[in-house]
């Protein structure tokens, strides 16, 4: 959000949250957060809208539609956003007085008025039923471990505070009830997310719901580990027209420390280095989390990167985001890009099995939903395949991802990956990192070896980082011992 665009809203203590459009290019939606509520507004252009009316101009500008006259759109997107947020600010005081606004499925239409320039009219959005239909069949047992009966809160009991980064479904929230102030994270599909994903066949929205259900169940059933996200604390429901609760999301603990990506950016902004002791501890904890994932939980993560490790109050890392639905190009192992198959053949000198990779040349194959993207790994996802056929190869692919993530931490590289579309697009350099011990650089480089057979195993990585993290403890306590010794020495 650019400063100035949201001035009118700020004056009302309302936060501008997001703007998005529909597939048919006739609607623009916007959500704001104010007075404990998240309210969605709609700007629509229909064949009988006046071309110079505000909703029509907003739709034309947002969707880049061709118009015969400059007066039928905006000069640029920034002026469009300013006009959009100001329009919402104009109707806000009346809207918020309307009790209907708190009902599920209510959207406020912004219309050209008679006397006034614009008016807001709350209406029941017809897509709300389609949204509920997508979620209707979800049972608590699809989301939590067997034998557990989680507490379920109605969505009206929850205040959205902020949309978190990532793909858009994660929100920082809090209970309406001021006696329960601790912040939580909502994940799932609220109505806003549905409107954002909705299209003709709702294929993508349906996949997103499935992915949410599976990830929720995955962490619920996973043996606990201190560096892995705990199962959801509560579930969230929305009431349908018969007042029956429909499960739409879950709530988990929010960690105020932010994620590792934020920590790297914050250190860079201060032009400071994260202490080596901290880096060693974090590398160790990342390796512990991934080892538990593969060796104890017998699964995989697939989205290893700094943004998916959050920092708790004791500055320990927790691995979040168990969607297993897409791998980031920045940390994806090159052999896991969907163009290779793998099998174990014979043994290496150290007795461990040797992995042999062959380029796939058969007919086109797909196990990812249409619309995931154009890269080979958006079409063929090797993770579930190798999980079943060659867990060793899967583990070594995640060792690569760990390597990239450890490199980002050690070299404090953050946020310049916009252009990265494939794994090889990342330039791994250690420039300006004179204080990273050379044996650390070597281990991390080994994790990123092109031939997975040359990468260290998770056991070796744990041993290495345990040793490094321990050496700092030892240094700290030995200097303490020395100080004590000096103090006690008779002079
Ligand atoms: N429990 C949490 N505590 C603190 N921040 C969180 C938490 N969960 C998510 N976040 C923040 O929100 C971002 C997106 O959440 P994530 O679960 O990774 O969803 P996505 O699938 O959108 O990547 C994370 O990168 C992190 O910055
Ligand atoms: Mg994430």
């Amino acid at each position: 959000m650019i400063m100035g665009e949201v001035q009118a809203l700020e004056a009302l203590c309302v936060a501008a949250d997001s703007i998005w459009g529909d597939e048919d290019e006739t609607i623009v939606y916007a959500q704001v957060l104010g007075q404990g509520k998240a309210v969605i507004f709609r700007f629509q252009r229909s064949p009988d809208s006046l071309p110079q009316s505000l909703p029509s101009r907003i739709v034309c500008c947002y969707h880049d539609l061709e118009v015969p006259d400059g007066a039928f759109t905006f000069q640029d997107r920034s002026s469009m956003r300013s006009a959009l947020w100001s329009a919402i600010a104009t109707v806000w005081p009346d809207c918020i007085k309307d009790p209907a606004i708190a009902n599920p499925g209510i959207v406020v239409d912004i219309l050209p008025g008679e006397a006034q320039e614009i008016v807001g009219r709350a209406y029941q959005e017809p897509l709300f039923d389609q949204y509920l239909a997508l979620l209707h069949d979800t049972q608590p047992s699809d989301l939590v471990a067997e034998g557990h009966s989680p507490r379920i809160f109605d969505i009206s009991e929850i205040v959205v505070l902020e949309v978190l980064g990532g793909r858009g479904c994660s929100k920082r929230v809090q209970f309406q009830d001021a006696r329960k102030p601790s912040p939580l994270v909502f994940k799932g599909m609220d109505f806003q997310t549905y409107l954002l994903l909705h299209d003709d066949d709702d294929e993508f929205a349906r996949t997103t719901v499935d992915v949410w259900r599976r990830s929720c169940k995955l962490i619920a059933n996973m043996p606990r580990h201190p560096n892995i996200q705990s199962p959801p604390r509560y579930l969230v429901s929305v009431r349908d027209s018969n007042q029956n609760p429909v499960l739409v999301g879950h709530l988990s603990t929010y960690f105020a420390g932010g994620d590792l990506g934020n920590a790297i950016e914050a250190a860079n902004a201060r032009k400071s280095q994260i202490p080596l002791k901290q880096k060693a501890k974090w590398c160790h904890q990342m390796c512990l989390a991934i080892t538990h994932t593969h060796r104890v939980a017998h699964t995989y993560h697939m989205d290893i990167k700094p943004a998916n490790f959050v920092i708790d109050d004791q500055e320990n890392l927790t691995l979040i985001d168990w969607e297993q639905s897409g791998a980031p190009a920045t940390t994806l192992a090159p052999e896991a890009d969907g163009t290779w198959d793998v099998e174990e053949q014979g043994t290496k000198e150290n007795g461990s099995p040797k992995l042999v990779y062959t380029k796939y040349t058969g007919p086109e194959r797909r196990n990812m939903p249409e619309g995931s993207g154009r890269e080979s790994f958006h079409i063929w996802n090797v993770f579930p395949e190798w999980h079943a056929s060659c867990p060793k190869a899967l583990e070594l692919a995640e060792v690569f991802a760990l390597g990239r993530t450890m490199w980002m931490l050690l070299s404090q590289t953050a946020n310049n990956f916009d252009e990265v579309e494939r794994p090889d697009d990342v330039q791994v350099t250690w420039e300006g990192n004179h204080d990273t011990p050379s044996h650390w650089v070597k281990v991390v480089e080994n994790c990123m070896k092109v031939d997975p057979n040359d990468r260290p195993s998770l056991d070796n990585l744990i041993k290495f980082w345990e040793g490094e993290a321990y050496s700092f403890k030892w240094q700290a306590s030995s200097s303490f011992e020395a100080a004590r010794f000096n103090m006690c020495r008779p002079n």
Side-chain angles (χ1 to χ4, degrees):
M1 223 67 66
I2 299 168
M3 291 256 294
E5 286 178 3
V6 292
Q7 242 166 16
L9 278 174
E10 273 171 359
L12 299 166
C13 295
V14 176
D17 172 81
S18 48
I19 303 178
W20 70 99
D22 70 333
E23 197 193 18
D24 294 342
E25 308 194 319
T26 58
I27 295 173
V28 172
Y29 297 102
Q31 177 167 273
V32 302
L33 311 172
Q35 300 194 16
K37 293 187 180 62
V39 184
I40 302 170
F41 292 85
R42 181 178 78 167
F43 299 83
Q44 191 171 27
R45 174 178 186 253
S46 69
D48 38 56
S49 321
L50 289 174
Q52 65 273 34
S53 71
L54 181 77
S56 173
R57 290 171 63 210
I58 287 179
V59 170
C60 288
C61 179
Y62 181 90
H63 290 290
D64 268 332
L65 304 182
E66 244 174 75
V67 287
D69 185 332
F72 299 168
T73 179
F74 286 91
Q75 207 173 5
D76 50 41
R77 298 185 83 81
S78 171
S79 358
M80 179 266 297
R81 288 193 297 263
S82 298
L84 179 149
W85 296 126
S86 309
I88 294 177
T90 311
V91 301
W92 177 263
D94 280 335
C95 283
I96 201 70
K97 274 190 241 143
D98 182 352
I101 207 102
N103 295 344
I106 294 292
V107 170
V108 179
D109 217 3
I110 302 240
L111 304 161
E114 294 269 312
Q116 258 178 301
E117 212 193 329
I118 47 162
V119 289
R121 185 178 55 90
Y123 72 102
Q124 178 72 40
E125 172 55 57
L127 286 173
F128 190 64
D129 286 338
Q130 243 164 281
Y131 160 67
L132 289 179
L134 215 56
L135 289 145
H136 236 133
D137 299 330
T138 313
Q139 302 297 321
S141 60
D142 297 331
L143 304 171
V144 299
E146 224 166 291
H148 284 240
S149 38
R151 272 194 74 178
I152 303 175
F153 289 92
D154 189 79
I155 202 150
S156 63
E157 294 176 78
I158 289 156
V159 185
V160 179
L161 301 173
E162 178 194 9
V163 173
L164 294 166
R167 272 158 289 192
C169 309
S170 308
K171 288 166 185 181
R172 185 164 66 88
V173 303
Q174 171 185 314
F175 287 116
Q176 286 276 3
D177 184 345
R179 285 166 301 178
K180 295 184 273 189
S182 60
L184 296 158
V185 176
F186 170 91
K187 240 185 150 172
M189 169 104 61
D190 60 0
F191 188 42
Q192 186 230 346
T193 307
Y194 175 74
L195 288 179
L196 192 74
L197 303 183
H198 164 71
D199 61 17
D200 248 5
D201 55 10
D202 266 347
E203 192 61 34
F204 192 55
R206 196 167 300 114
T207 310
T208 307
V209 171
D210 283 344
V211 164
W212 161 61
R213 279 198 288 240
R214 263 189 289 121
S215 72
C216 204
K217 188 80 181 180
L218 178 72
I219 32 174
N221 281 336
M222 201 183 291
R224 299 281 193 104
H225 187 273
N227 303 110
I228 289 182
Q229 185 168 39
S230 308
R233 294 185 43 195
Y234 311 111
L235 300 182
V236 179
S237 66
V238 165
R239 291 197 178 272
D240 67 11
S241 49
N242 301 319
Q243 298 299 305
N244 294 320
V246 177
L247 294 170
V248 300
H250 70 263
L251 299 173
S252 42
T253 309
Y254 175 80
F255 298 104
D259 66 53
L260 187 56
N262 304 144
I264 297 170
E265 279 168 31
N268 291 347
R270 291 193 305 271
K271 296 205 183 342
S272 71
Q273 286 293 317
I274 298 169
L276 287 179
K277 182 181 165 187
Q278 182 85 289
K279 287 180 172 174
K281 173 176 132 176
W282 282 346
C283 285
H284 184 216
Q285 292 183 341
M286 290 195 263
C287 295
L288 288 173
I290 300 305
T291 304
H292 183 83
T293 306
H294 285 261
R295 302 286 175 85
V296 181
H298 299 292
T299 184
Y300 53 92
H301 187 272
M302 194 174 170
D303 197 5
I304 301 170
K305 59 180 182 185
N308 285 335
F309 285 97
V310 291
I311 304 169
D312 76 9
D313 302 343
Q314 276 76 50
E315 304 221 297
N316 294 315
L317 295 186
T318 300
L319 180 55
I320 60 160
D321 202 0
W322 290 87
E323 256 134 56
Q324 296 184 327
S325 66
T330 48
T331 67
L332 179 65
E335 78 281 6
D337 71 352
T339 65
W340 297 89
D341 283 334
V342 61
E343 56 183 7
E344 287 183 15
Q345 267 177 23
T347 48
K348 296 195 286 183
E349 303 90 72
N350 63 6
S352 64
K354 185 168 164 62
L355 298 173
V356 177
Y357 293 80
T358 40
K359 205 82 178 165
Y360 178 76
T361 53
E364 204 190 56
R365 53 185 185 179
R366 169 182 283 279
N367 63 356
M368 290 288 273
E370 300 272 349
S372 306
R374 274 174 305 175
E375 297 295 342
S376 49
F377 49 93
H378 296 139
I379 297 162
W380 186 250
N381 175 7
V382 300
F383 284 74
E385 306 292 327
W386 294 0
H387 181 235
S389 67
C390 193
K392 177 83 192 154
L394 194 61
E395 188 179 303
L396 288 171
E398 300 236 88
V399 165
F400 182 97
L402 259 179
R404 280 271 167 94
T405 308
M406 293 192 285
W407 161 69
M408 290 174 196
L409 167 61
L410 298 183
S411 66
Q412 300 194 188
T413 305
N415 227 2
N416 47 4
F417 299 122
D418 291 351
E419 309 285 302
V420 172
E421 283 172 3
R422 302 191 53 85
D424 293 339
D425 296 345
V426 176
Q427 294 279 324
V428 176
T429 64
W430 298 89
E431 272 158 42
N433 272 272
H434 309 298
D435 79 330
T436 310
S438 58
H439 60 302
W440 291 16
V441 172
K442 186 142 187 282
V443 158
V444 171
E445 291 274 355
N446 285 344
C447 292
M448 295 183 276
K449 285 269 167 118
V450 174
D451 184 351
N453 290 294
D454 298 338
R455 294 176 199 156
S457 68
L458 286 170
D459 312 277
N460 286 340
L461 281 175
I462 293 216
K463 247 182 253 151
F464 177 85
W465 286 114
E466 195 171 41
E468 295 307 303
Y470 184 77
S471 83
F472 282 103
K473 262 194 204 145
W474 185 82
Q475 274 172 24
S477 60
S478 65
S479 52
F480 175 70
E481 285 294 321
R484 205 169 56 167
F485 177 75
N486 283 335
M487 267 183 342
C488 302
R489 209 167 48 166
N491 34 2

